[in-house]
Amino acid sequence: GTMAPRSSKKTMWEFEADYFTFCNCDWGCPCNFNARPTQGDCHGVGAWRIRKGHFDGTKLDGVVFAAAYFFPGLIEQGHGIARFYVDRKASPAQRRAIEAICSGKIGGGIFEIFANLAEKIYPFMAADIDLDIAGPRAALRIPDIMEAECDSLSYPDGMIIKPTFTLPHGIEFKTALATNTKKWWIRDGEMLANHKNVYGIVSQVRFTQDGCVG
């Protein structure tokens, strides 16, 4: 079919993905509500498994990628460190697409914001990424670099709870299931952390160059 010519400035892209994220905040993460992070600083990881998507003609279905970021204080104050990872199974064209999205240079809401707040971005890395998301359970593993595991939140008496957030203005997700990240660690350059029983969410998200749209 015929398509209107695209401007060279704006690469059109979109994806729908299963999403797992976790950080060093207590359950719920105050940052979701524009409050101060629990410990005064912020470090966390997001991981996406694309169900379907495309980037300027390159299909992205099945691609897995992740982002790690460390901020010494409030996120909006910047001075962050970040790295983006793509699963080694992605084709060269898919790798280039994910690197472009993560660079924040072509929109994407949170991708654009976080890339601009990071003053140091380590080189883009292709790695083996194991990502299983079957909410409320999720697990992420990049051998020798990071590992994370989450499950249902529960009360001390063992009662399982399944709270959800709906953030109509959300730049990262619109609706998500809150989870307990039972454990997570990362060792990558200056990004070093080890946590137990902290914030996590699982969600399905839809992104375009305009940001999180669903």
Side-chain angles (χ1 to χ4, degrees):
T2 57
M3 292 182 78
R6 290 172 175 165
S7 85
S8 58
K9 276 215 291 284
K10 196 75 165 171
T11 305
M12 300 298 284
W13 59 271
E14 62 181 325
F15 67 76
E16 281 177 35
D18 294 307
Y19 179 53
F20 171 35
T21 187
F22 47 89
C23 70
N24 60 318
C25 282
D26 286 346
W27 297 332
C29 179
C31 308
N32 282 318
F33 312 103
N34 265 355
R36 297 180 65 81
T38 306
Q39 300 177 1
D41 66 341
C42 164
H43 48 265
V45 173
W48 296 261
R49 177 184 296 281
I50 296 178
R51 291 180 169 207
K52 59 176 190 202
H54 65 86
F55 180 94
D56 203 28
T58 298
K59 276 185 77 163
L60 299 178
D61 304 23
V63 174
V64 176
F65 70 105
Y69 47 85
F70 272 56
F71 293 100
L74 303 180
I75 294 174
E76 61 269 27
Q77 290 168 355
H79 306 297
I81 304 172
R83 188 187 314 254
F84 307 108
Y85 313 82
V86 67
D87 185 36
R88 222 186 281 281
K89 293 190 279 289
S91 71
Q94 289 171 330
R95 290 183 191 190
R96 285 194 296 275
I98 296 301
E99 185 169 17
I101 290 169
C102 290
S103 77
K105 293 185 173 70
I106 40 172
I110 195 168
F111 295 108
E112 191 171 10
I113 292 163
F114 274 25
N116 288 332
L117 289 169
E119 64 186 14
K120 183 188 293 186
I121 297 181
Y122 292 138
F124 190 66
M125 181 188 283
D128 295 314
I129 304 179
D130 291 318
L131 176 63
D132 290 304
I133 301 175
R137 293 205 167 127
L140 170 68
R141 184 165 168 266
I142 303 179
D144 303 320
I145 292 175
M146 68 175 81
E147 232 170 291
E149 206 182 309
C150 81
D151 206 339
S152 298
L153 285 161
S154 59
Y155 288 138
D157 66 2
M159 179 184 162
I160 300 278
I161 57 169
K162 295 187 175 177
T164 54
F165 295 149
T166 299
L167 305 176
H169 60 282
I171 59 168
E172 183 189 4
F173 60 82
K174 298 301 187 195
T175 297
L177 174 65
T179 64
N180 172 30
T181 302
K182 295 189 286 189
K183 57 176 188 187
W184 77 269
W185 59 264
I186 182 171
R187 288 193 295 266
D188 187 3
E190 293 170 66
M191 297 190 293
L192 300 168
N194 195 339
H195 295 285
K196 284 190 167 77
N197 299 316
V198 289
Y199 169 76
I201 65 104
V202 292
S203 182
Q204 284 179 27
V205 295
R206 201 154 63 83
F207 273 82
T208 71
Q209 66 276 358
D210 296 323
C212 182
V213 296

